[in-house]
Amino acid sequence: MDRPRKLIYLDNAATTSVRPEVLEAMLPYFSESYGNPSSLYTLAQESRKAVDESREKVARVLGCRSSEVIFTSGGTESDNTAIRGAAMALAPTGNHIITTAIEHHAVLHACHFLETLGYQITYLPVDQDGLVDLKELEEAITDRTTVVSMMLANNEIGSILPVAEASRLVKAQARKMGRTIVFHTDAVQGAGYLDLNVRNLGEDMLSLSSHKFHGPKGSGVLFVRRGTPFTPQQVGGGQERQHRAGTENVPGIVGTALALELAEGERAWLCQHTQALRDRLIHGIQERVERTYLNGHPSWRLPNNVNFCFESVEGEPVLIGLDFAGVAASSGSACTAASLEPSHVLVAIGRTAELAQSSLRLTLGRDSAGEDIDYVLDVLPGLVSMLRGLPSLSRSSV
């Protein structure tokens, strides 16, 4: 099959394009409506109104009060702020944090930082499908536990974790012990695909990143339930109700809120659309490429996520070959693309370091089409077969 005239973009878990209507809504706040929302004159109040209306939009999607919505610079800041903010606020009552072995590095590195300050971290293992045993979570909770952080869905393998059940368990244990344990969820990959209503999920904090759901990069959301112990991590002015100092990114906030509203509105359609393509892609690869391993739960996974390991092939040449053929894909998290280490997620589910280096992640989106799947299924098997026939060249020898 000839190289496609357009780019086939299958890396929607890494980032998405800004929707035209989102960009259009943002543009005035770069130019004629450029006032600082903290000022009192009319021009500034145009920006203040836009921020307030955006907060209401996000609150409607999350099922929370608008006062519980904090705008941030993205998922990493939201994760860092949630974990460090809650842990520091509850430091007088304990220094134990529980998370999972497959969290995004924004969570894991925040925990590593807290370890240097004397905090104790429990990293819950996962099974071969990337799921957490809730019995192990229950047994990990101690009279020094202050924070539990569990992602809604994994960014690499797509497995959906039992967050609602976990939050209920944690709250029940906290009540039994007569203490406060804050439950945080990194829901960055869930927007547009999973229910984000915090009343259903039951968490105290939830993180989102705008560029994962066709909003602008550099913008995000942190939900903080009213009454949750919290120490601000960015100080200065009194913005965001004293939770996050700094002049508001008005265009980013406007774009984030509209993108989230649109994503939630078309969630049912998008899930149906991408899941059909996902299943075609998974079955096609399994049928046409030998010695392949599907990563993540076979069905309890994000509708748009496909992740495979290919025996006797390194992932990087596969990505280069696909790119040459006009297909954009990844081997895992974009945040660790330059790392020479195997994916911590794939190692956690039991893949060997060698097999983990062969991973390919294909993530679909609203613009993905059936002909894209046909093209990938035509190109990928021959590419893998060709690479298996070449002499191995390890990274260490380069």
Side-chain angles (χ1 to χ4, degrees):
M1 184 177 290
D2 295 333
R3 181 186 174 111
R5 295 181 180 178
K6 65 165 188 170
L7 170 70
I8 294 178
Y9 186 75
L10 295 179
D11 201 18
N12 287 274
T15 197
T16 58
S17 61
V18 176
R19 293 175 66 145
E21 57 267 59
V22 170
L23 177 59
E24 183 179 0
M26 294 171 62
L27 287 176
Y29 301 97
F30 287 109
S31 50
E32 61 264 28
S33 298
Y34 59 85
N36 187 321
S38 297
S39 299
L40 296 178
Y41 42 80
T42 302
L43 179 65
Q45 289 309 298
E46 292 176 4
S47 295
R48 171 51 55 197
K49 181 181 178 183
V51 170
D52 291 343
E53 290 177 347
S54 296
R55 205 182 304 277
E56 290 284 353
K57 287 181 181 179
V58 173
R60 284 195 292 271
V61 173
L62 299 184
C64 67
R65 300 176 178 90
S66 61
S67 60
E68 296 173 321
V69 174
I70 301 171
F71 290 112
T72 70
S73 66
T76 294
E77 183 191 340
S78 293
D79 285 344
N80 273 248
T81 298
I83 294 169
R84 294 166 62 170
M88 291 179 180
L90 288 169
T93 71
N95 66 341
H96 179 228
I97 298 171
I98 301 172
T99 189
T100 80
I102 62 169
E103 297 293 315
H104 190 278
H105 280 122
V107 169
L108 294 179
H109 289 173
C111 290
H112 296 164
F113 169 77
L114 290 173
E115 281 184 292
T116 68
L117 302 181
Y119 286 81
Q120 298 177 346
I121 315 294
T122 295
Y123 300 95
L124 295 173
V126 294
D127 64 17
Q128 63 183 7
D129 293 323
L131 301 184
V132 172
D133 185 338
L134 294 183
K135 184 65 175 176
E136 293 187 4
L137 169 60
E138 183 178 6
E139 293 173 349
I141 297 172
T142 73
D143 61 2
R144 300 291 294 169
T145 303
T146 56
V147 180
V148 175
S149 183
M150 180 183 294
M151 68 193 336
L152 184 58
N154 185 262
N155 54 301
E156 292 191 33
I157 61 176
S159 295
I160 300 171
L161 278 68
V163 166
E165 295 87 345
S167 67
R168 287 196 293 268
L169 184 156
V170 169
K171 295 304 176 184
Q173 289 297 101
R175 286 193 297 270
K176 188 183 300 183
M177 293 187 294
R179 60 183 292 102
T180 298
I181 302 177
V182 171
F183 193 95
H184 166 256
T185 293
D186 176 342
V188 165
Q189 292 294 330
Y193 295 100
L194 301 175
D195 180 16
L196 299 180
N197 190 296
V198 296
R199 289 173 292 187
N200 298 334
L201 295 174
E203 67 278 272
D204 302 300
M205 295 181 168
L206 178 143
S207 301
L208 295 173
S209 190
S210 180
H211 73 103
K212 305 295 187 178
F213 47 87
H214 296 280
K217 294 177 178 64
S219 296
V221 171
L222 175 62
F223 157 74
V224 180
R225 189 180 300 279
R226 187 169 67 175
T228 299
F230 180 80
T231 298
Q233 298 298 294
Q234 187 164 303
V235 296
Q239 293 88 353
E240 297 301 293
R241 293 173 174 83
Q242 309 291 332
H243 284 83
R244 181 192 187 264
T247 301
E248 295 92 340
N249 173 9
V250 180
I253 288 170
V254 169
T256 294
L258 179 57
L260 184 62
E261 183 180 60
L262 293 171
E264 179 62 17
E266 66 181 24
R267 177 158 62 93
W269 167 81
L270 184 61
C271 288
Q272 183 178 20
H273 172 68
T274 55
Q275 184 169 329
L277 297 177
R278 179 201 72 183
D279 292 345
R280 278 180 59 188
L281 189 53
I282 289 175
H283 296 152
I285 291 174
Q286 290 173 327
E287 290 174 357
R288 304 185 192 195
V289 185
E290 297 180 348
R291 293 177 287 155
T292 64
Y293 303 86
L294 178 66
N295 299 312
H297 196 280
S299 57
W300 196 243
R301 68 189 298 130
L302 288 169
N304 71 328
N305 178 284
V306 176
N307 190 306
F308 274 99
C309 285
F310 301 97
E311 191 175 308
S312 303
V313 174
E314 292 185 4
E316 190 172 287
V318 173
L319 294 179
I320 294 172
L322 287 176
D323 183 47
F324 184 78
V327 180
S330 70
S331 59
S333 173
C335 299
T336 57
S339 174
L340 297 180
E341 296 298 319
S343 161
H344 69 285
V345 175
L346 296 181
V347 172
I349 66 173
R351 301 301 186 210
T352 64
E354 181 180 8
L355 194 57
Q357 294 279 23
S358 72
S359 66
L360 173 67
R361 183 183 70 176
L362 303 166
T363 45
L364 304 149
R366 62 192 305 269
D367 297 324
S368 300
E371 53 264 33
D372 298 339
I373 305 304
D374 295 338
Y375 180 78
V376 171
L377 291 177
D378 186 72
V379 169
L380 182 62
L383 175 61
V384 172
S385 178
M386 182 270 292
L387 291 172
R388 281 174 172 165
L390 296 177
S392 177
L393 181 62
S394 66
R395 293 186 182 208
S396 60
S397 64
V398 176

